[in-house]
Amino acid sequence: MRNAALALLATGTITMVILFAYYLLASRAMGQHDLWLPIAVPWTAGIAAGFTSMLAVSAVERRNRRFAQEALGRYTSKALVQELMDHPEHLSLEWGDKREMSVFFSDIAGFTTISEGLPPEKLVALLNDYLTEMTDLVLAHGGIVDKYIGDAVMAFWGAPLGTSNHALRAVQCAIAMRDRCLERQPHWKATFGFDVVARAGVNSGLAVVGNMGSRHKYNYTVMGD
């Protein structure tokens, strides 16, 4: 955004300098040589061109911003992407916030047996289907998916936007996940040959939420008891 603003400022300044220089040249030609040079048309064209450039750059900037939000939203929460775009200072290892929140963990019971009994492509298909169903429920209940660890899902409520009913939302989501697994179980059994039973745990309390990792790579996550 800053680069685009600088480009627009530079373009506008150069355009105005050129138009002013042309005005001085036309005035001198008229005063000293009785030579008439049109002024209105070049000025109008220059201002129109500058305004068009501003619109074009603004449109490209909005498109790039939208693309970045949509692309990053596939790797993390869209709410988190928006928060970081609104507050780029949070993109630092030094940033963290201590708050009351709820954290959810779940995994598939007997997943080692399932993974050993399925070919890799079938295992990937099962996991993608299962994780999609679970993620939809987390988002529907206002949560943030922190990460996937194989078959495990880690999610939290209460950040980046604070909410007073984070515990209620987390528990409601856990119940909805259990119900969804029961609903999808016949399909998974018929397609993959295994019963998919998910286990979940929810804990509420003080945690630090922020960026954790190394200078080369870090995640927005939570740490606490």
Side-chain angles (χ1 to χ4, degrees):
M1 195 70 177
R2 183 180 178 184
N3 291 338
L6 290 175
L8 285 175
L9 179 62
T11 301
T13 301
I14 293 172
T15 300
M16 293 305 299
V17 168
I18 293 174
L19 290 176
F20 186 69
Y22 180 83
Y23 170 78
L24 293 178
L25 177 64
S27 299
R28 184 175 181 180
M30 176 62 75
Q32 296 183 2
H33 306 288
D34 290 330
L35 179 63
W36 179 81
L37 295 176
I39 294 177
V41 173
W43 268 75
T44 301
I47 293 173
F51 184 69
T52 302
S53 298
M54 289 177 63
L55 289 179
V57 171
S58 178
V60 170
E61 190 68 27
R62 287 197 304 271
R63 185 186 65 186
N64 290 341
R65 184 183 178 93
R66 187 166 57 251
F67 172 79
Q69 286 178 300
E70 292 176 355
L72 289 173
R74 294 182 181 274
Y75 290 93
T76 185
S77 162
K78 291 183 179 180
L80 174 57
V81 173
Q82 186 61 54
E83 175 76 7
L84 293 178
M85 295 187 83
D86 292 341
H87 300 281
E89 68 275 11
H90 291 174
L91 287 170
S92 165
L93 280 176
E94 286 73 35
W95 178 73
D97 188 19
K98 187 176 183 180
R99 61 174 67 187
E100 285 276 348
M101 55 192 307
S102 294
V103 183
F104 166 94
F105 294 93
S106 74
D107 67 355
I108 297 174
F111 183 72
T112 301
T113 301
I114 295 175
S115 63
E116 291 173 348
L118 287 175
E121 61 274 12
K122 283 266 192 177
L123 182 63
V124 169
L126 171 59
L127 272 181
N128 286 344
D129 192 10
Y130 167 78
L131 292 175
T132 296
E133 295 283 352
M134 299 303 103
T135 300
D136 287 345
L137 291 173
V138 171
L139 298 178
H141 288 81
I144 302 294
V145 176
D146 184 304
K147 60 176 66 74
Y148 306 118
I149 311 168
D151 61 309
V153 178
M154 177 180 174
F156 55 82
W157 283 257
L161 303 177
T163 175
S164 59
N165 64 342
H166 51 82
L168 176 62
R169 290 188 179 189
V171 172
Q172 288 176 334
C173 181
I175 294 172
M177 285 178 159
R178 180 199 61 190
D179 294 342
R180 183 65 59 86
C181 282
L182 291 173
E183 176 188 324
R184 296 286 292 169
Q185 209 168 75
H187 168 74
W188 288 329
K189 177 72 172 181
T191 305
F192 303 104
F194 288 93
D195 289 317
V196 177
V197 179
R199 306 169 296 191
V202 175
N203 192 27
S204 299
L206 282 174
V208 174
V209 57
N211 299 317
M212 300 171 200
S214 70
R215 290 184 295 107
H216 307 288
K217 178 178 175 60
Y218 50 81
N219 295 322
Y220 179 85
T221 187
V222 297
M223 294 289 286
D225 181 9

